[in-house]
Amino acid sequence: MKTVDILLTHALVLTMDGQMNQYNPGAVAVTGDSIVAAGPEAEIKKEYSGKETIDCGGKVLMPGLVNAHTHVPMTLLRGLADDLRLDVWLMGYMMPVEREFVTPEFVRLGTLLACAEQIRSGVTTFNDMYYFEEDVAKAAAQAGMRAVCGQTVMKFPAPDAEAYEDSFDMARDFIKRWKDHPLIVPAVAPHAPYTCTEEILRETAELAREFDVPLHTHLAETAFEVENIRREHEMPVIPYVKKQGLLEAKVIAAHCVHIDTGEMRTLLHAGAGVSHNPSSNLKLASGFAPVMKMLEAGLKVGIGTDGPASNNDLDMFEEVRLAAFIAKAVSNDPTSLPAPTALTMATRLGAQALHLGHLTGSLTPGLRADLILVDISPLHNSPSFKRSQDNAYAQIVYAGKSTDVSDVMVNGKWLMRERRLLTVNEDELLAQAADIAKKVDSFLIAREQSVLSKLIALGGSMEQEAFEVQVKVKITDGRSIVQALKRPEIEIVRYRHYDQHDTYFAFDDPLQGRLRYREDDFLDEKGAVTTTRPRLTLLGQKREDSFAHDVLLSRSRFFAPAAQSLRFYREYFKPKVETSITKDRERWLIKFKDTEFFVNVDEMTEPALGHFVEIKSRTWSRKDAEHKAALTTELLALLGLAHSETVTSDYIEVVKSIG
Amino acid sequence: MKTVDILLTHALVLTMDGQMNQYNPGAVAVTGDSIVAAGPEAEIKKEYSGKETIDCGGKVLMPGLVNAHTHVPMTLLRGLADDLRLDVWLMGYMMPVEREFVTPEFVRLGTLLACAEQIRSGVTTFNDMYYFEEDVAKAAAQAGMRAVCGQTVMKFPAPDAEAYEDSFDMARDFIKRWKDHPLIVPAVAPHAPYTCTEEILRETAELAREFDVPLHTHLAETAFEVENIRREHEMPVIPYVKKQGLLEAKVIAAHCVHIDTGEMRTLLHAGAGVSHNPSSNLKLASGFAPVMKMLEAGLKVGIGTDGPASNNDLDMFEEVRLAAFIAKAVSNDPTSLPAPTALTMATRLGAQALHLGHLTGSLTPGLRADLILVDISPLHNSPSFKRSQDNAYAQIVYAGKSTDVSDVMVNGKWLMRERRLLTVNEDELLAQAADIAKKVDSFLIAREQSVLSKLIALGGSMEQEAFEVQVKVKITDGRSIVQALKRPEIEIVRYRHYDQHDTYFAFDDPLQGRLRYREDDFLDEKGAVTTTRPRLTLLGQKREDSFAHDVLLSRSRFFAPAAQSLRFYREYFKPKVETSITKDRERWLIKFKDTEFFVNVDEMTEPALGHFVEIKSRTWSRKDAEHKAALTTELLALLGLAHSETVTSDYIEVVKSIG
């Protein structure tokens, strides 16, 4: 008779081991941090006596669930913004808020909240990627969970790093310090191929190899990503990252929604693990991952929740069920991804995908004691059939709820007993979270009140235009102007010809100004488009002054780089009215009496409102403005427009006045 | 100041009305069975005082959820058989068990269990279809739930009706008796176009119109159904049922997975409601319903769980989330089916789909008080953002759990208070359910132990073959036999020529016998296939006797109609080994000395094992068998086979012996 620390008896034991051994009634013996034995209750009791014996009351005793991909601190951003396109969600909401709020303290709190939620729902191991990852590690260790913690590295500035080199150094220091921790596996996380340079991919892979730690990354999440990588590098995502040496590390590849069988073989050959994230892939409309094909190819595919801001929770019961459901519908075959396979993905296969198969994922003697009790007797999961071994898996996968988990042990230590959390103070955390949410709300409410703030929140280089002196004149056509510009008093510095497509957003409150998304299609001599330049301008309502001949001192304007699509801005700014204008513009930069002016000869084509000339010049002082206004009047005369009809409205107003 | 029965205060009130009015803090006033007022707490308190005032503690107060399509008594079959194809699941498991177990008592118990589960998860109204539907109605009324109860009518015998006429009469009587019930709306439920005759569709529609009650049916659930209706009636499903007058009733159409925009318009024009059932459609791999298109067409689309045997629960929180998720992924657009729309489908739109919009579905004065309290403060749904009205819907849809529902009121009466069920005794029901599950388990375990029992469980006409006298002879080719059959002693009654494709299933236990799935491709004179006849035969292992010249008295055989595909039988019987044989057979029914014999001239083509002659005759007594054995020996001589090599094995054994 051997003595063990804890004997768990009277359980339906689902070992989830390679033979899918099931014992009912079964028992598990634990000593220290490890499983000593699992088997039929009678046999185990004959061989072992426990310092403590726990009657599991007929519940399911199984390995803890493995959440194979998440960003745990984002619990604090859960439900902040939903039903948005990925770019609007990410660049319009997540990144601006993260830039403003993410600190080590935010990360600590978000992680503890996530640990509490995950422990409650039966997760014992998770694989994370975020900023200030060492603080994730500290909080996870404090909560007693097993975790792979990947410090994010990417080419953009991040909340925890001004530049790539900073985050790379953080990753190296973090890995060095935590390499031998009993619960935490430190890792490096180059964010994704499209947010990393080739150098980052190469160097993070080298770092991971140097310390023999996993490398966690997003691969082939969206069709858009695959298209871009194909266009830029003339190959799909997996060959591209292989070329950078990424696959020489112990890779954990999140998503893999858009990969083909050749790429699966490449990943398999490299020993990479995969995390399938059904809720996130559905909610962000990333697509349907080829899960059955990946499993058939022999890949270790785990299941992950992804971050709670795109899910919106950390409920692995839901993910497992969804994985099974979606595979059936996509393959048009209800026998696809049956319950035992789905549950294996969430336990043993998931652990293997994280390169932790030697530590956790099944109730196998020698592995760490990471285990949970699940009550399968509640109303929503009754009655129970016992005809086949598969009935038990089906009960958990198809009708189980995370709230059915009653007890959780990690590394031989209880984290939850009879639904009571033992390592985190839920109430305290919730109060702190409510506090942060309030601040984030205020930040966004303030931002949303002003189009300018929303523009600033997008980040990137933004500039405020200096004042401008300008005049606009209606003409019958541009030919006489083109002739007049050849006069000796005028020196032509530059000439351009383009189609200008303007889309104006107007808002409920006219004081917000108008936002103009402008695409200039530059034309060559034959009228063919050579390049397109997108720009974003916020036009204020204020007119500063006017001079003789309706020469105006114009309104304040803010320029921002139009890195996103018109659709992005439409969904992000939610304008009340949208108006589109197209004009054919010939634009001269000229010098007249040592002063630079732009002369635009415009034909409004959509709507067809005829021809206009604009004369403009930047200015920086009242005195300079007066001088340029006078020169402008001279120029008007020189161009034969002294007595023409001036127009004091912007083009959008011209359109509106006739609309 | 008006006095009302109950004043619910301090709530985040989501009215789900046409304007999506939201009040925080809000209040709702209830008197009798109805809502008197809903609005900002301060206003409501100013106008109304309650005999009882309930502080909702900041929880969400919203209309109860509407489960738009289910089969509630199937709670008792939850998790019985999963990961199976629809036909195997339905005809191999559900229907045999239902034939054996479904009684009024089963239906009562299953319904009460379902009511308990639905009340716990915030459902206040459900739309059902099952057998003994009056017992569903009684149990639902006892539990205090609102329900549309549809008595099933179909062309097959059902657990509650030998013939269609019986169930039709039950439906009529049931509707008459329950027409004016405050909670129950009786209905008629022609099961589906493929399980009903045109007459059933016509007459059930007339019945529904006569009493102005809803008609609940399954429409266009699978592509297979649509194909069949198209082939048989040369039109899609919706036009077909329209032609039968079905759409003249107040239709509630479950599924509508495979309908086009024209069919949507037809349903809209007919005022039909639709139930979208995401879990069921995924789990049974029926497909992705065009939900966004149906909503855009203006259809009232509710959300349903379908029966708990194909889901496997009655959790509307999951369904709503899934509806939102799937719509995004299918349309490749994460802005599809946003949270407010999804939750509207589960409340107001769902009630309208059930033709109950005048009674329930939103917190609107005058409607019945069907409402729930949902706690959105738990860990898994924290923190809360309040930047936009949409945040509250998103919290419920994307991170809410059915277990967050704390209180449920139907028709002004509490069914659950602080998670305590008030109208059903959960423990008692669970004990009874466990009892039934045990019996079902035993029934299936017994059945699964015998191939013969599994064959019988499939139902349909099955016959045991009489004994047979037979002899088999190896020949070089059939030409001499064909000549010999022209002899005057032999009268040819019938001749047939066909390719016979046999697939033999063998099992672990050889005593189970072998199951043969046989397809005969009948050939015309040019060798073209005219028709195909599939048959299923269980071949026993016993050989009764043998006579001179290896004339055998053959083994017992059971025939069953092979209504299903080979694939069905493979998945249903799960053979250990499968062997396929093809032979070209010329078969003569002859008379020789006033006795009928079959003479088969076979060429085994796959595997190519040469030519054989078989002579067979049915027999019914020992004496008759001896007589026919003697005649068979005479026939052998007549055909010039007196000294040929006889073969005592069945073809499958011949194959195995050389394999």
Side-chain angles (χ1 to χ4, degrees):
Chain A
M1 200 79 161
K2 296 165 205 157
T3 305
V4 295
D5 288 345
I6 302 174
L7 206 57
L8 297 150
T9 62
H10 188 199
L12 165 47
V13 174
L14 308 180
T15 63
M16 304 310 289
D17 64 14
Q19 293 73 47
M20 296 298 268
N21 282 312
Q22 227 183 71
Y23 310 111
N24 191 15
V28 171
V30 172
T31 279
D33 59 8
S34 296
I35 295 165
V36 176
E41 186 180 274
E43 284 180 30
I44 297 291
K45 275 181 161 172
K46 218 177 283 171
E47 202 168 345
Y48 301 94
S49 77
K51 291 177 191 162
E52 183 185 15
T53 297
I54 292 171
D55 183 323
C56 300
K59 286 179 187 166
V60 163
L61 169 55
M62 59 176 283
L65 303 174
V66 176
N67 185 351
H69 173 64
T70 184
H71 312 284
V72 286
M74 294 181 91
T75 43
L76 289 171
L77 305 179
R78 179 206 320 270
L80 175 65
D82 294 291
D83 299 318
L84 297 172
R85 239 172 277 264
L86 181 62
D87 51 4
V88 179
W89 177 77
L90 194 64
M91 278 165 291
Y93 291 88
M94 291 302 126
M95 283 168 64
V97 170
E98 286 180 330
R99 271 198 296 271
E100 187 73 18
F101 288 94
V102 171
T103 61
E105 182 48 27
F106 177 102
V107 162
R108 189 199 68 87
L109 174 60
T111 301
L112 286 175
L113 274 167
C115 288
E117 184 181 349
Q118 291 187 102
I119 294 167
R120 281 216 171 283
S121 53
V123 173
T124 52
T125 299
F126 66 93
N127 175 36
D128 195 65
M129 173 197 297
Y130 206 60
Y131 313 111
F132 299 111
E133 192 70 26
E134 186 159 2
D135 293 281
V136 173
K138 285 178 194 165
Q142 179 187 332
M145 290 191 76
R146 195 177 301 288
V148 178
C149 295
Q151 166 64 40
T152 299
V153 182
M154 58 180 180
K155 65 185 175 190
F156 306 119
D160 60 350
E162 284 295 314
Y164 141 61
E165 289 80 4
D166 299 343
S167 52
F168 188 82
D169 290 345
M170 285 173 75
R172 168 181 289 270
D173 291 347
F174 167 50
I175 291 170
K176 264 192 197 166
R177 276 195 288 269
W178 288 75
K179 216 190 142 353
D180 300 312
H181 195 277
L183 288 170
I184 304 300
V185 176
V188 62
H191 175 268
Y194 58 94
T195 51
C196 291
T197 60
E198 299 188 357
E199 185 194 6
I200 296 178
L201 298 178
R202 265 196 311 278
E203 294 194 0
T204 50
E206 277 164 27
L207 177 64
R209 288 181 64 200
E210 183 185 341
F211 290 96
D212 191 31
V213 293
L215 180 151
H216 181 188
T217 187
H218 298 95
L219 291 182
E221 181 172 3
T222 67
F224 184 68
E225 169 190 348
V226 175
E227 270 167 42
N228 284 345
I229 297 277
R230 270 191 188 278
R231 197 177 45 240
E232 285 169 35
H233 305 285
E234 292 175 346
M235 57 184 99
V237 173
I238 304 301
Y240 167 67
V241 297
K242 179 169 191 265
K243 200 177 156 207
Q244 315 313 325
L246 198 83
L247 301 187
E248 281 156 42
K250 297 195 295 192
V251 166
I252 309 165
H255 298 292
C256 294
V257 176
H258 302 277
I259 64 171
D260 63 25
T261 48
E263 292 178 277
M264 292 174 202
R265 278 194 299 272
T266 304
L267 288 174
L268 180 70
H269 189 71
V274 173
S275 175
H276 171 47
N277 312 297
S279 280
S280 169
N281 292 345
L282 294 173
K283 185 159 186 283
L284 298 173
S286 309
F288 300 101
V291 181
M292 285 311 295
K293 283 197 187 120
M294 289 196 274
L295 289 171
E296 281 158 14
L299 275 168
K300 309 299 185 198
V301 186
I303 296 177
T305 58
D306 209 341
S310 63
N311 182 306
N312 290 347
D313 56 31
L314 296 164
D315 188 332
M316 281 290 291
F317 278 72
E318 274 182 38
E319 294 309 314
V320 174
R321 177 154 53 242
L322 213 41
F325 275 3
I326 299 293
K328 295 172 199 312
V330 167
S331 63
N332 196 20
D333 177 0
T335 68
S336 270
L337 230 179
T341 309
L343 205 56
T344 303
M345 291 172 73
T347 51
R348 178 164 39 89
L349 273 185
Q352 289 169 343
L354 306 191
H355 308 277
L356 298 182
H358 59 296
L359 290 180
T360 190
S362 67
L363 301 184
T364 301
L367 294 200
R368 300 290 183 274
D370 296 353
L371 49 86
I372 61 176
L373 290 180
V374 186
D375 187 358
I376 53 169
S377 75
L379 190 69
H380 61 259
N381 213 339
S382 288
S384 284
F385 294 95
K386 299 179 178 64
R387 178 176 57 89
S388 142
Q389 287 224 339
D390 289 351
N391 285 133
Y393 304 115
Q395 270 199 279
I396 290 178
V397 172
Y398 296 126
K401 292 189 196 300
S402 58
T403 48
D404 298 336
V405 176
S406 62
D407 299 80
V408 175
M409 174 185 281
V410 174
N411 217 42
K413 189 184 157 199
W414 289 113
L415 306 189
M416 182 165 78
R417 283 291 281 142
E418 289 166 5
R419 292 196 171 77
R420 204 162 39 82
L421 293 178
L422 303 177
T423 54
V424 282
N425 183 332
E426 230 168 317
D427 293 339
E428 211 174 83
L429 297 175
L430 285 173
Q432 292 172 29
D435 205 43
I436 290 207
K438 222 172 184 173
K439 286 179 190 150
V440 173
D441 258 341
S442 305
F443 167 76
L444 281 178
I445 288 167
R447 184 191 89 171
E448 306 275 298
Q449 279 166 354
S450 145
V451 174
L452 178 59
S453 307
K454 288 192 76 168
L455 200 59
I456 292 168
L458 288 179
S461 58
M462 192 158 103
E463 50 172 316
Q464 185 171 5
E465 194 187 52
F467 291 101
E468 199 173 54
V469 167
Q470 63 171 78
V471 68
K472 187 187 290 177
V473 175
K474 181 104 176 72
I475 56 176
T476 48
D477 69 58
R479 276 170 297 183
S480 66
I481 309 298
V482 174
Q483 280 305 316
L485 284 170
K486 291 177 180 164
R487 296 180 67 113
E489 298 91 330
I490 294 171
E491 177 198 342
I492 294 178
V493 180
R494 195 166 68 224
Y495 166 76
R496 276 192 154 164
H497 183 200
Y498 50 91
D499 280 334
Q500 181 178 333
H501 305 273
D502 291 336
T503 303
Y504 290 86
F505 293 165
F507 302 92
D508 272 328
D509 172 7
L511 291 178
Q512 295 290 342
R514 280 206 196 83
L515 193 70
R516 182 179 68 194
Y517 175 82
R518 167 175 166 184
E519 276 184 12
D520 295 342
D521 287 341
F522 289 103
L523 305 173
D524 64 14
E525 284 141 33
K526 290 170 192 155
V529 177
T530 54
T531 52
T532 296
R533 180 183 61 176
R535 292 168 75 185
L536 200 65
T537 312
L538 179 63
L539 300 98
Q541 284 295 298
K542 251 183 21 213
R543 185 162 302 166
E544 298 298 324
D545 206 345
S546 71
F547 306 92
H549 270 93
D550 286 333
V551 175
L552 309 173
L553 186 60
S554 87
R555 300 143 280 180
S556 62
R557 290 161 186 264
F558 295 88
F559 291 104
Q564 311 303 326
S565 66
L566 174 59
R567 198 260 313 141
F568 171 90
Y569 296 116
R570 179 182 298 134
E571 296 181 13
Y572 177 67
F573 286 103
K574 299 196 185 77
K576 191 188 179 191
V577 180
E578 188 174 327
T579 316
S580 291
I581 297 174
T582 301
K583 47 184 176 274
D584 178 283
R585 168 166 285 182
E586 293 191 277
R587 179 181 182 88
W588 287 264
L589 173 59
I590 62 164
K591 258 196 187 155
F592 173 64
K593 294 195 172 171
D594 272 343
T595 308
E596 283 194 342
F597 287 90
F598 283 104
V599 178
N600 300 328
V601 175
D602 296 341
E603 180 188 357
M604 289 197 57
T605 52
E606 185 60 39
L609 290 180
H611 296 75
F612 297 85
V613 171
E614 281 189 325
I615 300 172
K616 296 185 172 185
S617 186
R618 290 197 179 175
T619 182
W620 46 84
S621 73
R622 179 78 206 164
K623 204 177 156 195
D624 180 71
E626 277 168 10
H627 170 62
K628 284 182 174 153
L631 286 180
T632 301
T633 307
E634 277 182 54
L635 254 177
L636 279 174
L638 207 62
L639 296 176
L641 301 168
H643 305 288
S644 299
E645 176 196 351
T646 56
V647 180
T648 58
S649 322
D650 195 1
Y651 281 111
I652 173 68
E653 287 157 349
V654 176
V655 171
K656 281 179 63 186
S657 67
I658 62 109
Chain B
M1 198 80 163
K2 297 164 204 159
T3 304
V4 296
D5 288 345
I6 302 175
L7 205 57
L8 297 150
T9 62
H10 188 199
L12 165 47
V13 175
L14 306 180
T15 63
M16 304 311 290
D17 64 15
Q19 293 72 48
M20 296 299 267
N21 282 310
Q22 227 182 73
Y23 310 111
N24 190 18
V28 171
V30 173
T31 279
D33 59 8
S34 295
I35 294 165
V36 176
E41 186 179 274
E43 284 180 28
I44 298 290
K45 275 180 161 173
K46 217 177 285 172
E47 203 168 343
Y48 300 95
S49 77
K51 292 177 192 163
E52 183 185 15
T53 298
I54 292 171
D55 183 322
C56 299
K59 286 179 187 167
V60 163
L61 169 55
M62 60 176 283
L65 302 174
V66 176
N67 185 352
H69 173 64
T70 183
H71 312 284
V72 286
M74 295 180 92
T75 42
L76 289 171
L77 305 179
R78 179 206 320 270
L80 176 64
D82 294 291
D83 300 317
L84 297 172
R85 239 172 277 265
L86 181 62
D87 52 3
V88 179
W89 177 77
L90 194 65
M91 278 164 292
Y93 291 88
M94 292 302 126
M95 284 169 63
V97 170
E98 286 181 330
R99 272 198 296 270
E100 186 74 18
F101 288 95
V102 171
T103 61
E105 183 47 29
F106 177 102
V107 162
R108 189 199 68 87
L109 174 61
T111 302
L112 285 175
L113 274 168
C115 288
E117 184 182 350
Q118 290 186 103
I119 294 167
R120 280 215 171 282
S121 53
V123 173
T124 52
T125 298
F126 66 93
N127 175 37
D128 195 67
M129 173 197 296
Y130 206 62
Y131 312 112
F132 299 111
E133 192 70 26
E134 187 160 2
D135 293 281
V136 172
K138 285 178 194 165
Q142 179 187 332
M145 290 192 76
R146 195 176 302 288
V148 178
C149 296
Q151 167 64 41
T152 300
V153 182
M154 58 180 181
K155 66 185 174 189
F156 306 118
D160 60 349
E162 282 295 314
Y164 141 62
E165 289 81 3
D166 300 343
S167 50
F168 188 82
D169 290 345
M170 285 173 75
R172 168 180 288 271
D173 292 347
F174 167 50
I175 291 170
K176 264 192 197 164
R177 275 195 289 269
W178 288 74
K179 216 189 141 355
D180 300 312
H181 195 276
L183 288 172
I184 305 300
V185 176
V188 62
H191 175 268
Y194 59 93
T195 51
C196 291
T197 60
E198 300 188 358
E199 186 195 6
I200 295 178
L201 298 178
R202 266 196 310 278
E203 294 194 0
T204 50
E206 277 164 26
L207 177 64
R209 289 182 64 202
E210 183 185 341
F211 291 96
D212 190 32
V213 294
L215 180 151
H216 181 188
T217 187
H218 298 95
L219 292 181
E221 181 172 1
T222 67
F224 185 69
E225 170 190 348
V226 176
E227 270 167 41
N228 284 345
I229 298 275
R230 272 192 188 277
R231 197 177 46 239
E232 283 169 36
H233 305 286
E234 292 175 347
M235 57 183 100
V237 173
I238 304 301
Y240 167 68
V241 297
K242 180 169 191 265
K243 199 176 156 205
Q244 314 315 325
L246 197 83
L247 300 187
E248 282 157 41
K250 297 195 295 192
V251 166
I252 309 165
H255 298 292
C256 295
V257 176
H258 302 276
I259 65 171
D260 62 27
T261 47
E263 292 177 277
M264 292 175 202
R265 278 194 298 273
T266 304
L267 288 174
L268 180 70
H269 188 71
V274 173
S275 176
H276 171 46
N277 312 298
S279 281
S280 169
N281 292 346
L282 293 173
K283 185 160 188 282
L284 298 173
S286 308
F288 299 101
V291 181
M292 284 310 295
K293 285 198 187 122
M294 289 195 274
L295 289 172
E296 282 158 15
L299 275 169
K300 308 299 185 200
V301 186
I303 296 177
T305 58
D306 209 342
S310 62
N311 181 305
N312 289 349
D313 55 33
L314 296 164
D315 188 331
M316 280 291 290
F317 278 71
E318 273 183 36
E319 294 308 315
V320 174
R321 177 154 51 242
L322 213 41
F325 276 2
I326 299 293
K328 295 172 200 309
V330 167
S331 63
N332 195 21
D333 177 359
T335 69
S336 270
L337 231 180
T341 309
L343 204 57
T344 304
M345 291 172 73
T347 52
R348 178 164 39 90
L349 274 184
Q352 289 169 342
L354 306 191
H355 308 277
L356 297 182
H358 58 297
L359 290 179
T360 191
S362 67
L363 301 184
T364 300
L367 294 200
R368 300 291 183 272
D370 295 354
L371 50 84
I372 62 175
L373 290 180
V374 186
D375 187 358
I376 53 169
S377 74
L379 191 71
H380 60 260
N381 213 339
S382 287
S384 283
F385 294 95
K386 298 178 179 64
R387 179 176 56 90
S388 143
Q389 287 224 339
D390 289 352
N391 286 133
Y393 305 115
Q395 271 200 279
I396 290 177
V397 172
Y398 296 126
K401 293 190 196 300
S402 58
T403 48
D404 298 336
V405 176
S406 61
D407 299 80
V408 176
M409 174 186 280
V410 174
N411 217 42
K413 189 184 157 199
W414 288 113
L415 306 189
M416 182 165 77
R417 283 291 281 142
E418 290 166 4
R419 292 197 171 79
R420 203 162 39 82
L421 293 177
L422 303 176
T423 54
V424 282
N425 183 331
E426 229 168 317
D427 293 339
E428 211 174 83
L429 297 175
L430 286 173
Q432 291 172 29
D435 205 44
I436 290 207
K438 220 170 183 174
K439 285 179 190 149
V440 173
D441 258 341
S442 306
F443 167 76
L444 282 179
I445 288 166
R447 183 191 89 170
E448 306 275 298
Q449 280 166 354
S450 143
V451 174
L452 179 58
S453 306
K454 288 192 76 168
L455 200 59
I456 292 168
L458 288 179
S461 59
M462 192 158 105
E463 50 173 316
Q464 183 169 6
E465 194 188 54
F467 292 101
E468 199 174 55
V469 168
Q470 64 172 75
V471 67
K472 186 186 292 177
V473 175
K474 180 104 175 71
I475 56 176
T476 47
D477 68 60
R479 277 170 297 184
S480 65
I481 309 297
V482 175
Q483 280 306 316
L485 284 170
K486 292 176 180 165
R487 296 181 66 114
E489 298 91 328
I490 295 172
E491 177 198 344
I492 293 177
V493 181
R494 197 166 68 225
Y495 166 76
R496 276 189 154 168
H497 182 200
Y498 49 91
D499 280 334
Q500 181 177 333
H501 305 273
D502 291 336
T503 303
Y504 290 86
F505 293 165
F507 302 91
D508 272 330
D509 173 6
L511 290 179
Q512 295 290 342
R514 278 204 198 84
L515 193 69
R516 182 179 67 195
Y517 175 82
R518 166 174 168 184
E519 277 185 12
D520 295 342
D521 287 341
F522 289 104
L523 305 173
D524 64 14
E525 285 141 30
K526 289 169 193 157
V529 177
T530 54
T531 53
T532 296
R533 181 183 62 176
R535 292 168 74 186
L536 200 65
T537 313
L538 179 63
L539 299 98
Q541 285 296 303
K542 247 175 37 202
R543 187 163 299 167
E544 297 296 324
D545 206 348
S546 70
F547 305 94
H549 269 91
D550 286 331
V551 174
L552 308 173
L553 188 59
S554 85
R555 300 143 279 180
S556 62
R557 289 160 187 266
F558 296 88
F559 290 102
Q564 311 303 327
S565 66
L566 174 59
R567 197 260 314 142
F568 170 91
Y569 296 116
R570 180 181 300 134
E571 295 181 14
Y572 178 67
F573 286 104
K574 299 194 186 80
K576 190 187 178 191
V577 180
E578 189 175 326
T579 316
S580 291
I581 298 174
T582 301
K583 47 184 175 274
D584 178 283
R585 169 167 282 182
E586 293 192 277
R587 179 180 182 87
W588 287 265
L589 173 59
I590 62 164
K591 259 196 182 157
F592 173 64
K593 295 196 172 172
D594 272 342
T595 308
E596 283 193 342
F597 287 89
F598 283 104
V599 178
N600 300 329
V601 175
D602 296 341
E603 181 188 356
M604 288 196 60
T605 52
E606 185 59 41
L609 290 180
H611 297 75
F612 297 85
V613 172
E614 281 190 325
I615 301 171
K616 296 183 171 187
S617 187
R618 292 199 178 175
T619 181
W620 46 84
S621 73
R622 181 77 206 169
K623 202 175 158 194
D624 180 71
E626 278 168 8
H627 170 62
K628 283 182 175 154
L631 285 179
T632 302
T633 307
E634 277 183 52
L635 254 175
L636 278 174
L638 207 60
L639 297 175
L641 301 169
H643 304 288
S644 299
E645 176 195 354
T646 57
V647 180
T648 58
S649 321
D650 194 359
Y651 281 112
I652 173 67
E653 285 156 350
V654 174
V655 171
K656 280 179 63 185
S657 67
I658 62 108

